[in-house]
Amino acid sequence: MWKRDEGVRPTSGQPTAAPQPTAPITAAGTPALRPEAGHHMEKDIVNIGKSVVIKGELNGSEDLTIEGHVEGTIQLRDHVLTIGPNGRIKAQVFAKSVIVLGEVTGNVTASDKVDIRDAGSVDGDIISPRVAIAEGAHFRGSVDMQRKAAQAAPPKPEGKAAAPQPAAPQAQGTPPVQRVGA
């Protein structure tokens, strides 16, 4: 960006040392980490532009922002799906978290959260433990706020700790069962 004026040289007779590469300085005055140094700190995010149209099945293992049109199925089970303000979705959606700024027609299933922002629109059913609908957002459908523990809980073994089952019709001539200490 800046070129050094070749006419301006140090007045001392000593040769100048080669400049050492330095880390860029952030606004706080501390050196920022370079992407090639250390661990990869930024998540991978893929963008689908507003001129892109996809029909079919869309699977991925990274966060995704859609500004275009998608019809079919979207599966990002462990990642965040953002439907941008220009995004138009006619699909069944499965993701960790879904943020809606555009339009979604179809059912949305999220393992963490569904967030419909101001101008966002969802026409379909939502299944997620957390749902946020901003003022001015559009939603038509049903909401099933399943708890994570209920989804991951194994079936209860039958026995004394199990919940009582409804009584089955008894055969004639057998006495009714009495529960003691229950």
Side-chain angles (χ1 to χ4, degrees):
M1 186 162 113
W2 298 95
K3 289 188 176 182
R4 175 175 245 168
D5 186 5
E6 294 297 324
V8 178
R9 299 210 178 219
T11 56
S12 67
Q14 299 175 358
T16 58
Q20 296 295 323
T22 59
I25 304 297
T26 62
T30 59
L33 293 177
R34 291 186 174 202
E36 64 270 8
H39 299 289
H40 186 65
M41 299 183 71
E42 188 177 317
K43 283 187 168 183
D44 291 334
I45 299 176
V46 176
N47 293 312
I48 295 178
K50 55 185 169 182
S51 66
V52 177
V53 176
I54 297 175
K55 293 183 180 182
E57 194 171 301
L58 181 60
N59 295 315
S61 59
E62 53 198 326
D63 294 350
L64 177 64
T65 299
I66 299 175
E67 290 287 344
H69 297 267
V70 176
E71 291 183 24
T73 303
I74 302 171
Q75 292 191 30
L76 303 171
R77 299 267 182 196
D78 296 324
H79 298 280
V80 177
L81 172 65
T82 302
I83 291 93
N86 298 310
R88 304 290 177 259
I89 308 299
K90 289 183 182 178
Q92 302 299 310
V93 177
F94 303 93
K96 177 182 175 185
S97 180
V98 180
I99 301 169
V100 181
L101 300 161
E103 293 180 13
V104 176
T105 303
N107 297 338
V108 178
T109 303
S111 60
D112 185 34
K113 182 178 183 180
V114 174
D115 188 359
I116 307 172
R117 304 274 172 93
D118 303 8
S121 171
V122 174
D123 284 327
D125 298 339
I126 295 175
I127 299 173
S128 178
R130 298 188 306 154
V131 176
I133 302 174
E135 187 175 342
H138 168 80
F139 171 69
R140 181 173 42 198
S142 66
V143 176
D144 183 356
M145 296 179 70
Q146 297 177 349
R147 293 189 177 107
K148 288 183 183 179
Q151 293 174 348
K156 292 181 181 179
E158 296 200 22
K160 292 183 181 180
Q165 299 293 326
Q170 296 180 357
Q172 290 184 356
T174 58
V177 178
Q178 292 182 345
R179 295 188 183 259
V180 179

